[in-house]
Amino acid sequence: MGRDVTVLIERAEALLGRLEKLLPAPVMPVDWKASIAFRWRKVNGAGQLQAVRQVHRIQLKDLRGIDEQKSLIEQNTRQFVEGHPANNVLLTGARGTGKSSLIKALLTKYAPRGLRLIERSVGLIKRLTQGLSEGGHVRIPR
């Protein structure tokens, strides 16, 4: 019986070795200190966050003509960073109206307090939302 078990274990190990070649490589843990902004990318069939090396730094005071919007989204962002209830935010508007600039300015101001940005593709939002809903809100360790 000992020989049969040894043969079975050897065959199982060989089979597992072949199966492991079919699996995607393990995803590396995110280094949240590498940047304040990240992009979701597919690498070898698996999604992972990649640090943005050069983040555009914009100041809130440089954005003009959107004072009411700045005030509302800044209050919401401050509440989120402080761990208080905050709303999800959907920015809409034509190209060039400052949506991205507003987000970058908030990131510039609140990154020292732990805020991080994840840029995603349009198709990712459903998968990302599902992942976030399964784990609740996301807090980034400082």
Side-chain angles (χ1 to χ4, degrees):
M1 179 154 179
R3 172 81 176 124
D4 291 340
V5 172
T6 302
V7 170
L8 180 62
I9 291 173
E10 288 173 357
R11 291 185 68 196
E13 287 176 349
L15 177 61
L16 287 174
R18 290 193 303 265
L19 288 173
E20 285 177 343
K21 293 177 185 176
L22 299 174
L23 297 174
V27 177
M28 299 300 294
V30 177
D31 178 6
W32 294 109
K33 294 181 181 179
S35 182
I36 60 172
F38 298 83
R39 287 189 180 102
W40 182 262
R41 295 284 191 242
K42 274 203 164 188
V43 178
N44 298 324
Q48 68 182 50
L49 291 175
Q50 295 178 338
V52 174
R53 298 293 173 208
Q54 294 183 359
V55 179
H56 297 122
R57 303 288 181 152
I58 299 173
Q59 302 297 318
L60 281 169
K61 65 180 175 57
D62 295 333
L63 302 176
R64 304 195 191 290
I66 57 169
D67 292 338
E68 182 180 349
Q69 295 88 339
K70 274 194 311 191
S71 176
L72 289 171
I73 195 168
E74 183 178 10
Q75 176 186 356
N76 190 66
T77 303
R78 185 175 45 254
Q79 287 176 208
F80 174 74
V81 170
E82 292 173 353
H84 301 297
N87 296 309
N88 294 322
V89 176
L90 175 63
L91 300 178
T92 63
R95 281 185 170 187
T97 56
K99 298 177 298 291
S100 295
S101 295
L102 182 54
I103 296 303
K104 291 173 185 176
L106 289 165
L107 182 63
T108 298
K109 181 170 183 174
Y110 290 99
R113 295 172 65 184
L115 186 65
R116 297 294 180 265
L117 175 81
I118 300 174
E119 176 186 299
R120 52 88 186 146
S121 64
V122 174
L124 174 68
I125 191 65
K126 187 180 268 187
R127 292 187 304 269
L128 184 59
T129 304
Q130 180 182 5
L132 291 175
S133 67
E134 291 170 359
H137 66 281
V138 176
R139 301 280 300 161
I140 307 302
R142 292 184 192 179

